[in-house]
Amino acid sequence: MLKIRNLSAAFGLALGLAFASGAAHAQDCTTKIGAVLPTSVDWGRPIAETAQFAVDQVNAAGGAAGCQIEMVLRDTQVDPKVGVDAAKALVDLEGVKVLLGAVSSGVSMPILTSVTVPGDVLQMSCCSSSTAFTGLAEEGKTNGLWFRTFATTGVQSAVGAKVAADKGYKTVAVMYKNDDWGQDMARQIAADFAAVGVEVTSSVAINDGQPSYRAEVTEALSGQPEALYLALYPAEGTAAVREWLSLGGTQNMILANALKSDEFRDNVGMQYLGSALGTDTASPRSESADAFRAAYMQRFDSEPNGPGLANSYDAAMIALLAMEAAGKDASGPDIAAAVAKVTDPSGTPVTADTAGFKAAKGVLAGGGTVMFQGATGNVRFDGNGDVSAPAVVWSFSDSGTEEVEYMSLADVDAFVASLK
């Protein structure tokens, strides 16, 4: 599970490694990329560290497109306005052509529409899952600049419905974050739960920063549901669940991946979460995923169990591979167009590490394409910049989380199809 590490020390080490690597390769240029990630929350810091890990590996391979890479990181605080301001600074002042982030769909969306699309900047998100991005891409409003390495809310919603059906719940109340992501989850859940015969007794929006959620919880309890589905982040999730339990709500809970957090578990109390089951997308059972896990443990001395870590690594590495394929001084649209060259199913397989990046350089320089084999497997983007993924059901434990069930990509696709 997530472990709070000394971020400044980790980033100091990362910068030291990057500097040493740059000196070793005697390069005299640096290219900046931007990252807008929620480093002020416990689950966001490891996501940022993992992106920096990918940057360090690329710099050890000689950088991308002839230059060392500097990742300029800004905190979004999971706040749309803060995120947009941070992204604007990175694009307008730092001149980045690639932006990693954000995590929350409610932060990524305004950045996409008001900063990266108007600024011709490639935006690669590790974790935003709202299907609203798919709709925007289908309407031609992303200009091909949007990609994400995390599957849409449809996967989590479907697996949540499976959990409810498997547990035999007939009625479920839903509390969701009142932003793009939460609203999308609520829409998906209503349809998927109905498809498996589970009634949603109420669907209640939760806003940030309220002194109390008693009114919202009272509304959710009014239908006397057998279980509670939570599509919330840890801060408001903790407050809402405490209120729920204090008013006699059930401990039968289904949790979206945003609550896969030490902060949530510790602040609510493990004694109240024994019946809670969470859902998340997952890395495939593949050699590339195992290799990432081993490399991560060597770097951070912990398992990559937090939300979005494998996805963050792949987002950074694919963006940097695309920069290599596009060449020095390439524009954002050129880099976005080059994503297809580094995720080509018919391309030369390359591993997700320094050696793999070096190998990719040679293939791309010779006019070939590569098939990136990453922490989340052989990443395949569709025409909207979306991916699909395997999934897991998990539970909290005293030391973190434990896997309850794994669903392969084929299993997920088949179950999602059955709901239609």
Side-chain angles (χ1 to χ4, degrees):
M1 191 52 195
L2 298 178
K3 294 185 177 179
I4 306 298
R5 292 179 288 277
N6 187 318
L7 186 62
S8 60
F11 280 177
L13 174 60
L15 291 173
L17 289 171
F19 178 82
S21 173
H25 291 275
Q27 290 170 310
D28 57 2
C29 64
T30 299
T31 300
K32 293 179 179 179
I33 65 171
V36 280
L37 299 166
T39 55
S40 55
V41 295
D42 78 325
W43 48 267
R45 289 191 285 272
I47 290 173
E49 291 177 350
T50 306
Q52 182 64 54
F53 179 32
V55 171
D56 294 342
Q57 289 185 316
V58 169
N59 283 335
C67 296
Q68 291 287 288
I69 301 299
E70 177 187 351
M71 187 180 85
V72 185
L73 175 65
R74 296 288 183 267
D75 181 18
T76 66
Q77 301 177 29
V78 202
D79 183 299
K81 185 180 185 304
V82 173
V84 167
D85 289 345
K88 284 182 176 178
L90 290 169
V91 173
D92 296 342
L93 302 180
E94 302 291 350
V96 304
K97 299 300 182 185
V98 169
L99 190 71
L100 303 178
V103 172
S104 166
S105 295
V107 179
S108 288
M109 181 60 80
I111 290 175
L112 180 67
T113 56
S114 66
V115 182
T116 53
V117 168
D120 281 339
V121 172
L122 164 67
Q123 185 174 346
M124 181 78 72
S125 172
C126 66
C127 310
S128 295
S129 59
S130 171
T131 57
F133 294 101
T134 304
L136 206 66
E138 289 173 343
E139 294 169 7
K141 295 180 179 178
T142 64
N143 293 350
L145 294 167
W146 166 258
F147 297 87
R148 50 180 163 183
T149 53
F150 196 87
T152 71
T153 51
V155 172
Q156 281 209 68
S157 174
V159 178
K162 182 178 184 300
V163 170
D166 289 349
K167 295 292 291 184
Y169 302 144
K170 297 300 182 184
T171 56
V172 176
V174 175
M175 290 197 287
Y176 64 92
K177 185 174 175 65
N178 196 17
D179 67 0
D180 287 343
W181 169 70
Q183 293 162 13
D184 190 50
M185 286 293 291
R187 287 191 295 269
Q188 298 278 343
I189 289 161
D192 290 347
F193 279 22
V196 296
V198 176
E199 177 189 356
V200 175
T201 57
S202 59
S203 187
V204 183
I206 299 292
N207 295 306
D208 287 337
Q210 292 184 199
S212 170
Y213 293 108
R214 180 169 290 265
E216 289 83 356
V217 169
T218 299
E219 180 183 351
L221 281 167
S222 63
Q224 299 182 319
E226 295 175 67
L228 173 66
Y229 185 96
L230 292 160
L232 299 171
Y233 286 103
E236 67 272 12
T238 297
V241 169
R242 283 175 171 173
E243 198 79 71
W244 173 268
L245 294 171
S246 72
L247 293 176
T250 177
Q251 293 183 25
N252 296 331
M253 302 179 206
I254 305 172
L255 314 175
N257 74 314
L259 293 178
K260 195 178 184 181
S261 159
D262 284 346
E263 176 188 350
F264 176 76
R265 181 199 62 198
D266 295 344
N267 289 338
V268 170
M270 186 62 204
Q271 67 269 32
Y272 301 112
L273 296 170
S275 299
L277 290 172
T279 65
D280 199 0
T281 58
S283 296
R285 302 305 195 240
S286 67
E287 290 183 8
S288 63
D290 291 343
F292 165 73
R293 176 179 171 275
Y296 186 96
M297 290 184 67
Q298 183 176 11
R299 172 67 178 265
F300 297 111
D301 194 30
S302 66
E303 293 270 0
N305 286 338
L309 300 184
N311 309 84
S312 178
Y313 180 89
D314 283 355
M317 191 64 80
I318 291 169
L320 294 170
L321 280 166
M323 289 177 66
E324 176 69 28
K328 190 175 181 180
D329 299 324
S331 68
D334 289 339
I335 298 169
V339 169
K341 296 181 180 179
V342 300
T343 56
D344 181 2
S346 301
T348 301
V350 294
T351 55
D353 52 21
T354 296
F357 203 91
K358 285 181 178 179
K361 283 175 175 283
V363 174
L364 294 168
T369 62
V370 299
M371 177 178 65
F372 172 71
Q373 298 178 310
T376 60
N378 299 339
V379 179
R380 301 282 186 276
F381 296 107
D382 66 15
N384 300 315
D386 290 344
V387 297
S388 189
V392 291
V393 178
W394 53 269
S395 62
F396 280 117
S397 67
D398 289 332
S399 59
T401 61
E402 296 179 352
E403 182 179 304
V404 175
E405 180 181 0
Y406 172 79
M407 297 177 66
S408 69
L409 180 56
D411 292 338
V412 170
D413 288 346
F415 187 75
V416 170
S418 75
L419 298 176
K420 309 303 180 184

